[in-house]
Amino acid sequence: MKEYNSISASNQSGFTLLEILIAITLLAFITLGVVDITDNAAATKERTTAINENNLQIETAMSRFEWDFSQIYSPLYFSTVMNLNQGANIGNNGGDQGGDIAGVVAGSQSGTQQGNQGGAISPMLQQYYENLVQRFERNEHFSAVSKEGHPIPRFYAPEKNVFEFFTSSNRRKLENQKQSHFAWVRYALAEQQELSQDSDETESPNIPKSLKSFVRYFSSDDPYSDKRINIEDVERTKGAVLLRNVESLEFQYWDYQRRKWETSLRTIPQGENVIRGVRILITWYDSFGNKRSTKRTFRTHWPMVVPQDQPVANPNVAGAQGGTVAGTQDGADGGANER
Amino acid sequence: MASKIKNEQGFSLLEVMIAITLFAFFVTAYLTGQGYNVEDSRLSEEQLVLQQLAERKINELIFDPPKFSNATADFKETKTFEESEFKGYEYTMEIKKLTIPDFAQLFAQKGAATDEAQEANDGDYFAEGTKNQRNAALEKMVFEELKKNIERVIWQARVTITNKETKYNFTLSTFLTNHNERIQLNIGF
């Protein structure tokens, strides 16, 4: 204390070594604290971002599927199959089930349908319709023609983790581009590419090898082609990885009449042509190496009804009293009664 | 000069306290901000789970609606999810009839002819008063038909998912169609 008092402007002795040491030590402690806090904050930020990104990844993948599936298209959601020689078909195919539309539709309609095809069509029109039916009958992408002459797409699920369907979710990127809003889209698992070196994504080393990627293949090129989309043809089919490190993927389809989920389209009556709902069961590893799984259900935008041909207002035909309301009648009901 | 030297005797207690308070204040603000970030992230994750479960349940209801009968009206059940990862969540399903107010409540007095007007126009088919009267009767008839049909065919459903621990919840509602009912229009004149 005394020493301090004797300090004068001309004779400043500065801090002593002890003072400097104490000051530095104190500063060191404070700095340590501050560094610790900032470091912690950076780590937390990275972690929350990664968690959010992992959630975002699966949500984006699922909403992508929802966008396509909700706009799935088939004329059978609002119409029935064109049947040129209906009279002959009704008797023969009544009991035939298992995916053959003509059979199922004729079967489910036989109660109200008789006598519908009374009106004669001109030979030219008949010829035109026959050509149309032939063109879209039993090729890879279409199975028949609807009453209005629209081709009926054939949905495709050869394995439990592959689902290809016809959607109206395509949007033109450029004005006046020659493109319809129809496209074929396939969701499937594909071999996984390594992350590129300059990617800022990181993945935990604990993630098992030989996992696959959940990929969306989209082909808006020539939707009426009779060939399945070729995923090797990169020019015409765009593939986009929706989710990496997928361990298993399963599509299940809603059987509207029996009210249960099926893994195959073929076990559902008319399943290859009309799908009411899809459930996705997916198991994957997130970027931390945690195994996660989710189960989602998706609906179409179409109402849950089975369209039926209107019965002709003929007093001789049984069931004609229903008259104007037959269009809204529930097919589950009608179908169940048939069986 | 002497006074100046006297002042340079180091920091006073007050100064040191102010400095420490300021420092503490900034550190606290920093840490709180960070805490909010973590909390927000956790909340958004929670909401994703709730929403996903709600969507699944409501879709299941739409795919596979219950049998609609008078017993179904005011149906309400609360259950816990069976899957191990969602053990902490419960869902409440409610199904209700759709009720539409009566014609008189919705369109009170509209177009209804008073007794006097009716008397004044009696016998005159094209007079304004009798026309209104006829229109009102027709409107009422059509409305009653619609009301009857809508109430039979359309039901309302609501699903609420609740996290049993935190009580966070998410609600979705929809209309269900009773496919077993037919629309019946018996408008006769």
Side-chain angles (χ1 to χ4, degrees):
Chain A
M1 274 302 167
K2 218 178 174 193
E3 216 177 299
Y4 275 106
N5 286 340
S6 66
I7 292 170
S8 69
S10 59
N11 182 23
Q12 273 190 350
S13 58
F15 300 109
T16 65
L17 179 62
L18 189 66
E19 283 164 350
I20 299 283
L21 280 179
I22 289 172
I24 290 178
T25 321
L26 279 176
L27 189 70
F29 274 119
I30 293 172
T31 321
L32 221 67
V34 171
V35 164
D36 196 45
I37 289 168
T38 10
D39 195 48
N40 216 333
T44 322
K45 183 216 150 213
E46 229 147 73
R47 200 178 156 68
T48 46
T49 317
I51 290 176
N52 294 347
E53 262 168 17
N54 273 320
N55 290 334
L56 187 70
Q57 198 78 48
I58 178 71
E59 293 308 322
T60 319
M62 291 296 122
S63 74
R64 198 70 235 176
F65 180 81
E66 188 174 20
W67 164 258
D68 284 331
F69 180 71
S70 63
Q71 300 182 68
I72 191 170
Y73 181 86
S74 164
L76 288 194
Y77 284 108
F78 55 85
S79 180
T80 54
V81 183
M82 176 185 283
N83 210 340
L84 286 175
N85 40 1
Q86 202 146 21
N89 263 348
I90 286 173
N92 298 339
N93 285 343
D96 188 333
Q97 305 286 336
D100 186 327
I101 339 169
V104 173
V105 170
S108 67
Q109 289 173 350
S110 53
T112 50
Q113 194 63 41
Q114 286 152 2
N116 189 20
Q117 208 67 7
I121 43 173
S122 74
M124 244 175 82
L125 201 59
Q126 174 85 18
Q127 184 60 44
Y128 171 73
Y129 280 156
E130 269 165 21
N131 290 345
L132 203 63
V133 169
Q134 263 169 25
R135 172 163 179 217
F136 288 112
E137 205 174 39
R138 294 275 145 199
N139 66 40
E140 281 184 342
H141 259 164
F142 297 92
S143 40
V145 177
S146 79
K147 214 170 65 177
E148 298 84 6
H150 299 171
I152 297 168
R154 209 165 158 208
F155 308 137
Y156 177 62
E159 292 164 54
K160 68 183 171 67
N161 57 26
V162 176
F163 181 31
E164 181 175 326
F165 55 95
F166 194 58
T167 176
S168 57
S169 69
N170 187 31
R171 296 291 177 268
R172 281 182 300 191
K173 309 285 180 299
L174 301 166
E175 211 180 344
N176 296 333
Q177 202 180 8
K178 276 191 184 166
Q179 236 179 39
S180 74
H181 52 261
F182 291 122
W184 282 92
V185 60
R186 178 189 294 190
Y187 285 84
L189 287 188
E191 293 303 324
Q192 185 152 285
Q193 314 269 313
E194 287 291 315
L195 278 178
S196 66
Q197 289 296 320
D198 49 313
S199 152
D200 35 315
E201 283 178 68
T202 49
E203 282 176 352
S204 156
N206 302 333
I207 297 174
K209 300 293 162 213
S210 79
L211 291 174
K212 301 202 163 178
S213 284
F214 183 31
V215 184
R216 169 188 189 256
Y217 297 100
F218 191 79
S219 172
S220 55
D221 213 70
D222 193 9
Y224 291 109
S225 137
D226 57 2
K227 289 269 177 290
R228 296 220 167 281
I229 60 175
N230 179 8
I231 56 173
E232 255 95 70
D233 185 354
V234 193
E235 286 284 302
R236 308 174 89 195
T237 308
K238 292 164 210 89
V241 175
L242 297 176
L243 191 68
R244 286 176 58 81
N245 301 317
V246 178
E247 190 183 68
S248 72
L249 169 73
E250 184 173 334
F251 290 102
Q252 296 182 344
Y253 311 96
W254 181 245
D255 185 337
Y256 180 71
Q257 301 192 357
R258 276 169 282 190
R259 312 217 163 238
K260 59 176 187 187
W261 295 100
E262 294 280 0
T263 42
S264 161
L265 287 175
R266 287 179 173 273
T267 50
I268 304 173
Q270 256 189 308
E272 287 188 317
N273 301 101
V274 182
I275 301 175
R276 302 290 170 176
V278 166
R279 184 154 78 174
I280 293 185
L281 284 76
I282 190 167
T283 307
W284 77 105
Y285 286 84
D286 66 14
S287 66
F288 299 114
N290 300 324
K291 190 169 168 177
R292 297 173 59 176
S293 63
T294 190
K295 186 166 88 178
R296 309 281 174 111
T297 49
F298 301 93
R299 277 179 296 125
T300 66
H301 280 167
W302 300 99
M304 288 261 188
V305 290
V306 175
Q308 302 198 339
D309 277 333
Q310 287 202 358
V312 179
N314 179 345
N316 298 330
V317 178
Q321 266 108 5
T324 52
V325 300
T328 58
Q329 193 211 340
D330 182 20
D333 224 18
N337 292 343
E338 297 298 332
R339 242 162 273 132
Chain B
M1 192 60 79
S3 72
K4 196 187 173 195
I5 292 165
K6 216 176 173 187
N7 276 347
E8 285 184 1
Q9 285 191 350
F11 302 110
S12 73
L13 179 62
L14 188 71
E15 285 164 344
V16 172
M17 279 178 73
I18 290 174
I20 289 176
T21 321
L22 273 176
F23 183 71
F25 181 76
F26 284 119
V27 168
T28 326
Y30 196 69
L31 287 179
T32 332
Q34 202 186 309
Y36 278 130
N37 279 348
V38 177
E39 179 66 11
D40 281 353
S41 161
R42 212 183 55 72
L43 268 182
S44 84
E45 203 174 346
E46 171 87 42
Q47 196 185 353
L48 282 178
V49 174
L50 288 172
Q51 190 174 341
Q52 172 206 333
L53 291 175
E55 271 173 20
R56 193 210 296 175
K57 275 291 154 200
I58 206 112
N59 276 351
E60 278 172 14
L61 256 186
I62 294 172
F63 285 138
D64 196 8
K67 285 259 174 288
F68 295 101
S69 65
N70 284 333
T72 328
D74 299 319
F75 166 89
K76 186 172 181 177
E77 76 169 10
T78 303
K79 273 190 182 162
T80 302
F81 280 91
E82 278 162 16
E83 292 128 302
S84 56
E85 47 182 320
F86 300 128
K87 276 261 188 289
Y89 295 88
E90 62 180 19
Y91 61 88
T92 306
M93 274 187 190
E94 291 166 84
I95 294 174
K96 269 194 176 147
K97 282 198 122 150
L98 183 68
T99 43
I100 295 174
D102 278 334
F103 184 77
Q105 281 169 274
L106 281 176
F107 307 100
Q109 298 304 315
K110 192 196 157 210
T114 61
D115 282 346
E116 291 153 38
Q118 199 180 336
E119 264 171 43
N121 296 310
D122 209 15
D124 186 355
Y125 188 81
F126 296 102
E128 199 61 26
T130 41
K131 225 156 112 187
N132 284 344
Q133 203 182 344
R134 279 200 310 279
N135 284 348
L138 184 64
E139 271 175 18
K140 189 165 185 323
M141 191 163 68
V142 172
F143 181 86
E144 293 301 332
E145 279 295 318
L146 288 179
K147 175 179 153 81
K148 207 170 70 197
N149 277 300
I150 290 173
E151 285 182 351
R152 259 182 330 111
V153 175
I154 299 180
W155 292 61
Q156 29 183 358
R158 181 162 65 185
V159 170
T160 308
I161 311 288
T162 315
N163 183 336
K164 287 196 279 191
E165 207 175 296
T166 58
K167 298 290 169 208
Y168 286 130
N169 62 64
F170 190 90
T171 305
L172 273 182
S173 59
T174 187
F175 290 119
L176 295 177
T177 316
N178 183 358
H179 294 297
N180 293 325
E181 287 284 351
R182 291 178 175 208
I183 291 172
Q184 290 171 349
L185 292 177
N186 303 312
I187 299 179
F189 294 96

